[in-house]
Amino acid sequence: MMLVDGDAGSTSDWDDRWNHIKKFLERSGPFMHPDFEPSTEALSGFRNIHVVDMDNIDVSNLNRQFLFRAKDVGRPKADVAADFINSRVPGCFCPSFYLYLEFHIIVCGLDSIVARRWMNGMLLSLLVYEDGVLDPSSIIPLIDGGTEGFKGNARVILPGMTACIDCTLELYPPQINFPMCTIASMPRLPEHCIEYVRILQWPKEMPFGDDMALDGDDPEHIQWVYQKSLERAAEFSITGVTYRLTQGVVKRIIPAVASTNAAIAAACATEVFKIASSAYLPLNNYMVFNDVDGLYTYTFEAERKENCSACSQVPSDLHFSPSSKLQEVLDYLTESTSLQMKSPAITTTMDGKNKTLYLQSVASIEQRTRPNLTKTLNELGLADGQELAVADVTTPQTVLFKLCFTS
């Protein structure tokens, strides 16, 4: 993730380095922003770029980008990226961080929907409303890019104004999960064999000790899963199990192609340039890229959902019968394509006191609140119109819902 802070000045390490940018900033054109005035005083480059990443470099990262080398394996990604930028662009100040600060623009190149939703929620939590009216100065634009193989997308999000990540959750493909009956009884694909070892054999045999969880970054762990998967595949005459596929299944690796990454990175960088300089109108607001067969791009305006649980500022309605069990509410929060929560914790207020209905992340509380899942909403003392507060790893904010009883 890259976060841009402050303005920039002109710094050059060779003559005419910024001539190509001057063409955009010092003359008008048909796509110019209506409020932009061409000038030699315009922005000519970024000097203050902050890199935030919590991960370390793995060997599998080397084939899909241009910053990391074999010697960098094991180092923090943020440190290596910042070092490269500082050495590549003289005069550039690019520190690395493991925290989030207040910036002018945020660029996301994250590898999961959960991480995207968390950042989306963080920026929404920073918005300031006065008498219900959004203060434009509190908006931090989010430029998001993502790839999967030869497909990719780039989008511009103005939190509180345009469609946010949660407004368009239906656009993201669901994670592939294989039915347990297929994995255990009728495997047909090499992935089925690997999942069998990962889900069933590892916890049963515990090859590296009782307390050792399967680590997708540990070569010894992957090698063990690989060998057991080969044995499983041989039993059912299945071919195609490889070490690389094994690691990909265990780590849920999304296939990446360097050329696709470069194209999406260029699209994101262009949008940052347009927003920072105000020279051109930004993307409105979603661009898809596909070079599986030829080259295809398409731009459309993703629409903001009025009842979005993340950015609508009003509690979303939950329609259930009073005889519905709390388990049904939990299932809806996790399985709904518009919510896709991971481990929701449900609380409410009764008689002026906060009451936890169910919380999964803390073992002692989960055990104490588990019986509530089999109780009806009526038995739990919930009433029509009552608000439920739901916390989840997909957002730093608590999401409010309103119970709407159906007959």
Side-chain angles (χ1 to χ4, degrees):
M1 178 181 300
M2 299 189 71
L3 306 102
V4 181
D5 181 30
D7 60 359
S10 59
T11 313
S12 62
D13 56 342
W14 65 77
D15 292 340
D16 302 325
R17 176 172 183 175
W18 305 111
N19 276 357
H20 60 295
I21 296 181
K22 292 180 180 179
K23 294 177 181 178
F24 295 106
L25 298 175
E26 297 181 7
R27 64 187 187 185
S28 60
F31 302 105
M32 185 179 66
H33 192 288
D35 298 328
F36 180 73
E37 296 183 3
S39 169
T40 58
E41 302 300 322
L43 186 72
S44 61
F46 300 111
R47 284 192 306 186
N48 299 325
I49 303 174
H50 299 240
V51 180
V52 180
D53 199 304
M54 305 293 289
D55 201 5
N56 291 330
I57 297 169
D58 184 68
V59 173
S60 62
N61 300 135
L62 302 181
N63 73 320
R64 54 182 180 262
Q65 50 65 57
F66 306 102
L67 296 181
F68 308 148
R69 300 292 182 267
K71 63 181 177 61
D72 299 319
V73 172
R75 292 186 60 196
K77 291 180 178 178
D79 287 352
V80 176
D83 290 346
F84 180 90
I85 294 171
N86 285 326
S87 62
R88 178 70 177 82
V89 185
C92 183
F93 173 66
C94 182
S96 57
F97 290 95
Y98 288 84
L99 49 90
Y100 297 97
L101 303 173
E102 293 185 8
F103 294 92
H104 292 92
I105 302 172
I106 294 182
V107 189
C108 278
L110 302 169
D111 59 2
S112 74
I113 306 304
V114 172
R116 283 179 166 84
R117 295 178 67 185
W118 195 94
M119 178 52 63
N120 180 74
M122 175 58 67
L123 296 183
L124 290 171
S125 71
L126 298 177
L127 296 177
V128 176
Y129 290 85
E130 297 180 3
D131 298 326
V133 179
L134 176 62
D135 180 1
S137 66
S138 65
I139 297 174
I140 301 177
L142 172 64
I143 315 298
D144 179 62
T147 67
E148 182 172 355
F150 290 99
K151 301 176 182 179
N153 70 83
R155 64 188 300 184
V156 174
I157 297 173
L158 303 178
M161 292 184 63
T162 64
C164 74
I165 295 290
D166 281 46
C167 286
T168 56
L169 277 184
E170 293 89 346
L171 295 177
Y172 294 101
Q175 180 175 306
I176 298 175
N177 292 307
F178 302 108
M180 183 57 68
C181 58
T182 300
I183 295 172
S185 305
M186 299 178 293
R188 299 183 301 276
L189 301 172
E191 290 86 350
H192 295 161
C193 301
I194 299 168
E195 283 289 81
Y196 178 86
V197 177
R198 184 183 73 86
I199 297 175
L200 299 175
Q201 279 192 256
W202 179 278
K204 180 181 179 180
E205 299 187 22
M206 298 300 292
F208 293 89
D210 294 343
D211 299 325
M212 183 64 70
L214 177 56
D215 183 357
D217 292 317
D218 189 322
E220 293 185 2
H221 290 197
I222 297 298
Q223 184 65 30
W224 187 90
V225 175
Y226 169 54
Q227 292 297 334
K228 293 295 182 179
S229 299
L230 283 175
E231 296 172 9
R232 174 76 173 173
E235 292 179 23
F236 293 88
S237 300
I238 297 173
T239 60
V241 174
T242 64
Y243 182 92
R244 183 173 182 179
L245 178 64
T246 302
Q247 188 176 44
V249 172
V250 171
K251 296 182 65 176
R252 292 293 192 266
I253 294 175
I254 298 174
V257 176
S259 58
T260 309
N261 289 352
I264 296 302
C268 291
T270 300
E271 294 309 315
V272 174
F273 172 79
K274 290 192 288 188
I275 291 177
S277 67
S278 297
Y280 293 85
L281 291 171
L283 175 70
N284 186 27
N285 53 26
Y286 200 113
M287 185 272 288
V288 294
F289 173 90
N290 189 331
D291 61 348
V292 174
D293 186 10
L295 181 61
Y296 171 80
T297 61
Y298 176 70
T299 301
F300 68 96
E301 182 181 359
E303 296 184 0
R304 186 181 180 192
K305 290 175 60 176
E306 293 183 1
N307 62 341
C308 174
S309 60
C311 69
S312 65
Q313 296 295 304
V314 294
S316 299
D317 292 340
L318 288 177
H319 296 276
F320 285 94
S321 165
S323 60
S324 299
K325 292 180 170 56
L326 185 64
Q327 180 68 60
E328 296 177 52
V329 177
L330 187 72
D331 292 342
Y332 174 76
L333 295 174
T334 56
E335 297 174 5
S336 169
T337 56
S338 62
L339 296 174
Q340 298 183 36
M341 293 186 174
K342 299 302 178 183
S343 54
I346 309 173
T347 61
T348 190
T349 301
M350 289 184 174
D351 301 324
K353 296 181 179 180
N354 189 54
K355 179 180 180 180
T356 300
L357 299 177
Y358 183 70
L359 192 149
Q360 183 176 345
S361 58
V362 181
S364 59
I365 301 179
E366 195 281 331
Q367 185 176 7
R368 179 169 56 84
T369 58
R370 191 185 308 161
N372 288 342
L373 295 176
T374 58
K375 295 180 180 179
T376 66
L377 303 183
N378 196 29
E379 290 172 340
L380 290 170
L382 300 175
D384 184 40
Q386 187 158 357
E387 286 193 353
L388 300 180
V390 181
D392 191 60
V393 295
T394 57
T395 174
Q397 300 186 94
T398 298
V399 182
L400 294 180
F401 294 91
K402 184 175 72 172
L403 274 178
C404 296
F405 281 166
T406 58
S407 56

